[in-house]
mmCIF file with all atom_site columns, all heavy atoms in Angstrom:
data_model
loop_
_atom_site.group_PDB
_atom_site.id
_atom_site.type_symbol
_atom_site.label_atom_id
_atom_site.label_alt_id
_atom_site.label_comp_id
_atom_site.label_asym_id
_atom_site.label_entity_id
_atom_site.label_seq_id
_atom_site.pdbx_PDB_ins_code
_atom_site.Cartn_x
_atom_site.Cartn_y
_atom_site.Cartn_z
_atom_site.occupancy
_atom_site.B_iso_or_equiv
_atom_site.pdbx_formal_charge
_atom_site.auth_seq_id
_atom_site.auth_comp_id
_atom_site.auth_asym_id
_atom_site.auth_atom_id
_atom_site.pdbx_PDB_model_num
ATOM 1  N N   . ALA A 1 106 ? -55.794 -81.261 -146.556 1.00 98.00 ? 244 ALA A N   1
ATOM 2  C CA  . ALA A 1 106 ? -56.504 -80.893 -147.786 1.00 98.00 ? 244 ALA A CA  1
ATOM 3  C C   . ALA A 1 106 ? -57.142 -79.524 -147.556 1.00 98.00 ? 244 ALA A C   1
ATOM 4  O O   . ALA A 1 106 ? -56.445 -78.565 -147.262 1.00 98.00 ? 244 ALA A O   1
ATOM 5  C CB  . ALA A 1 106 ? -57.538 -81.958 -148.131 1.00 98.00 ? 244 ALA A CB  1
ATOM 6  N N   . CYS A 1 107 ? -58.451 -79.453 -147.649 1.00 98.00 ? 245 CYS A N   1
ATOM 7  C CA  . CYS A 1 107 ? -59.134 -78.192 -147.380 1.00 98.00 ? 245 CYS A CA  1
ATOM 8  C C   . CYS A 1 107 ? -59.259 -78.003 -145.866 1.00 98.00 ? 245 CYS A C   1
ATOM 9  O O   . CYS A 1 107 ? -59.641 -78.939 -145.158 1.00 98.00 ? 245 CYS A O   1
ATOM 10 C CB  . CYS A 1 107 ? -60.517 -78.192 -148.010 1.00 98.00 ? 245 CYS A CB  1
ATOM 11 S SG  . CYS A 1 107 ? -61.542 -76.784 -147.511 1.00 98.00 ? 245 CYS A SG  1
ATOM 12 N N   . PRO A 1 108 ? -58.956 -76.801 -145.368 1.00 98.00 ? 246 PRO A N   1
ATOM 13 C CA  . PRO A 1 108 ? -58.946 -76.593 -143.918 1.00 98.00 ? 246 PRO A CA  1
ATOM 14 C C   . PRO A 1 108 ? -60.327 -76.602 -143.266 1.00 98.00 ? 246 PRO A C   1
ATOM 15 O O   . PRO A 1 108 ? -60.424 -76.747 -142.052 1.00 98.00 ? 246 PRO A O   1
ATOM 16 C CB  . PRO A 1 108 ? -58.288 -75.219 -143.765 1.00 98.00 ? 246 PRO A CB  1
ATOM 17 C CG  . PRO A 1 108 ? -58.517 -74.532 -145.055 1.00 98.00 ? 246 PRO A CG  1
ATOM 18 C CD  . PRO A 1 108 ? -58.515 -75.611 -146.098 1.00 98.00 ? 246 PRO A CD  1
ATOM 19 N N   . ILE A 1 109 ? -61.383 -76.446 -144.055 1.00 98.00 ? 247 ILE A N   1
ATOM 20 C CA  . ILE A 1 109 ? -62.698 -76.353 -143.407 1.00 98.00 ? 247 ILE A CA  1
ATOM 21 C C   . ILE A 1 109 ? -63.733 -77.327 -143.961 1.00 98.00 ? 247 ILE A C   1
ATOM 22 O O   . ILE A 1 109 ? -64.875 -77.328 -143.520 1.00 98.00 ? 247 ILE A O   1
ATOM 23 C CB  . ILE A 1 109 ? -63.274 -74.921 -143.514 1.00 98.00 ? 247 ILE A CB  1
ATOM 24 C CG1 . ILE A 1 109 ? -63.649 -74.588 -144.957 1.00 98.00 ? 247 ILE A CG1 1
ATOM 25 C CG2 . ILE A 1 109 ? -62.312 -73.888 -142.954 1.00 98.00 ? 247 ILE A CG2 1
ATOM 26 C CD1 . ILE A 1 109 ? -64.612 -73.417 -145.045 1.00 98.00 ? 247 ILE A CD1 1
ATOM 27 N N   . GLU A 1 110 ? -63.348 -78.152 -144.919 1.00 98.00 ? 248 GLU A N   1
ATOM 28 C CA  . GLU A 1 110 ? -64.343 -79.002 -145.583 1.00 98.00 ? 248 GLU A CA  1
ATOM 29 C C   . GLU A 1 110 ? -65.002 -79.998 -144.625 1.00 98.00 ? 248 GLU A C   1
ATOM 30 O O   . GLU A 1 110 ? -66.227 -80.120 -144.585 1.00 98.00 ? 248 GLU A O   1
ATOM 31 C CB  . GLU A 1 110 ? -63.694 -79.760 -146.751 1.00 98.00 ? 248 GLU A CB  1
ATOM 32 C CG  . GLU A 1 110 ? -64.706 -80.510 -147.596 1.00 98.00 ? 248 GLU A CG  1
ATOM 33 C CD  . GLU A 1 110 ? -64.070 -81.177 -148.805 1.00 98.00 ? 248 GLU A CD  1
ATOM 34 O OE1 . GLU A 1 110 ? -62.838 -81.367 -148.812 1.00 98.00 ? 248 GLU A OE1 1
ATOM 35 O OE2 . GLU A 1 110 ? -64.814 -81.518 -149.742 1.00 98.00 ? 248 GLU A OE2 1
ATOM 36 N N   . THR A 1 111 ? -64.187 -80.708 -143.855 1.00 98.00 ? 249 THR A N   1
ATOM 37 C CA  . THR A 1 111 ? -64.744 -81.698 -142.932 1.00 98.00 ? 249 THR A CA  1
ATOM 38 C C   . THR A 1 111 ? -65.676 -81.025 -141.926 1.00 98.00 ? 249 THR A C   1
ATOM 39 O O   . THR A 1 111 ? -66.795 -81.482 -141.685 1.00 98.00 ? 249 THR A O   1
ATOM 40 C CB  . THR A 1 111 ? -63.614 -82.426 -142.182 1.00 98.00 ? 249 THR A CB  1
ATOM 41 O OG1 . THR A 1 111 ? -62.658 -82.912 -143.120 1.00 98.00 ? 249 THR A OG1 1
ATOM 42 C CG2 . THR A 1 111 ? -64.171 -83.588 -141.369 1.00 98.00 ? 249 THR A CG2 1
ATOM 43 N N   . VAL A 1 112 ? -65.213 -79.919 -141.375 1.00 98.00 ? 250 VAL A N   1
ATOM 44 C CA  . VAL A 1 112 ? -66.021 -79.187 -140.398 1.00 98.00 ? 250 VAL A CA  1
ATOM 45 C C   . VAL A 1 112 ? -67.331 -78.711 -141.024 1.00 98.00 ? 250 VAL A C   1
ATOM 46 O O   . VAL A 1 112 ? -68.402 -78.819 -140.411 1.00 98.00 ? 250 VAL A O   1
ATOM 47 C CB  . VAL A 1 112 ? -65.229 -77.991 -139.828 1.00 98.00 ? 250 VAL A CB  1
ATOM 48 C CG1 . VAL A 1 112 ? -66.101 -77.168 -138.892 1.00 98.00 ? 250 VAL A CG1 1
ATOM 49 C CG2 . VAL A 1 112 ? -63.979 -78.468 -139.106 1.00 98.00 ? 250 VAL A CG2 1
ATOM 50 N N   . ALA A 1 113 ? -67.247 -78.218 -142.246 1.00 98.00 ? 251 ALA A N   1
ATOM 51 C CA  . ALA A 1 113 ? -68.444 -77.690 -142.914 1.00 98.00 ? 251 ALA A CA  1
ATOM 52 C C   . ALA A 1 113 ? -69.535 -78.750 -143.001 1.00 98.00 ? 251 ALA A C   1
ATOM 53 O O   . ALA A 1 113 ? -70.715 -78.475 -142.730 1.00 98.00 ? 251 ALA A O   1
ATOM 54 C CB  . ALA A 1 113 ? -68.084 -77.178 -144.310 1.00 98.00 ? 251 ALA A CB  1
ATOM 55 N N   . LEU A 1 114 ? -69.147 -79.973 -143.375 1.00 98.00 ? 252 LEU A N   1
ATOM 56 C CA  . LEU A 1 114 ? -70.150 -81.036 -143.486 1.00 98.00 ? 252 LEU A CA  1
ATOM 57 C C   . LEU A 1 114 ? -70.664 -81.461 -142.116 1.00 98.00 ? 252 LEU A C   1
ATOM 58 O O   . LEU A 1 114 ? -71.857 -81.742 -141.944 1.00 98.00 ? 252 LEU A O   1
ATOM 59 C CB  . LEU A 1 114 ? -69.546 -82.239 -144.214 1.00 98.00 ? 252 LEU A CB  1
ATOM 60 C CG  . LEU A 1 114 ? -69.322 -82.056 -145.710 1.00 98.00 ? 252 LEU A CG  1
ATOM 61 C CD1 . LEU A 1 114 ? -68.591 -83.264 -146.294 1.00 98.00 ? 252 LEU A CD1 1
ATOM 62 C CD2 . LEU A 1 114 ? -70.641 -81.839 -146.438 1.00 98.00 ? 252 LEU A CD2 1
ATOM 63 N N   . GLU A 1 115 ? -69.782 -81.491 -141.131 1.00 98.00 ? 253 GLU A N   1
ATOM 64 C CA  . GLU A 1 115 ? -70.197 -81.918 -139.791 1.00 98.00 ? 253 GLU A CA  1
ATOM 65 C C   . GLU A 1 115 ? -71.218 -80.977 -139.174 1.00 98.00 ? 253 GLU A C   1
ATOM 66 O O   . GLU A 1 115 ? -72.149 -81.412 -138.499 1.00 98.00 ? 253 GLU A O   1
ATOM 67 C CB  . GLU A 1 115 ? -68.977 -81.979 -138.868 1.00 98.00 ? 253 GLU A CB  1
ATOM 68 C CG  . GLU A 1 115 ? -68.049 -83.134 -139.103 1.00 98.00 ? 253 GLU A CG  1
ATOM 69 C CD  . GLU A 1 115 ? -66.888 -83.060 -138.130 1.00 98.00 ? 253 GLU A CD  1
ATOM 70 O OE1 . GLU A 1 115 ? -65.976 -82.249 -138.361 1.00 98.00 ? 253 GLU A OE1 1
ATOM 71 O OE2 . GLU A 1 115 ? -66.895 -83.790 -137.134 1.00 98.00 ? 253 GLU A OE2 1
ATOM 72 N N   . VAL A 1 116 ? -71.012 -79.676 -139.364 1.00 98.00 ? 254 VAL A N   1
ATOM 73 C CA  . VAL A 1 116 ? -71.838 -78.701 -138.664 1.00 98.00 ? 254 VAL A CA  1
ATOM 74 C C   . VAL A 1 116 ? -73.038 -78.217 -139.472 1.00 98.00 ? 254 VAL A C   1
ATOM 75 O O   . VAL A 1 116 ? -73.882 -77.490 -138.946 1.00 98.00 ? 254 VAL A O   1
ATOM 76 C CB  . VAL A 1 116 ? -71.008 -77.469 -138.235 1.00 98.00 ? 254 VAL A CB  1
ATOM 77 C CG1 . VAL A 1 116 ? -69.824 -77.904 -137.387 1.00 98.00 ? 254 VAL A CG1 1
ATOM 78 C CG2 . VAL A 1 116 ? -70.563 -76.665 -139.445 1.00 98.00 ? 254 VAL A CG2 1
#
Side-chain angles (χ1 to χ4, degrees):
Chain A
C245 171
I247 69 161
E248 188 176 19
T249 309
V250 176
L252 288 174
E253 286 180 282
V254 304

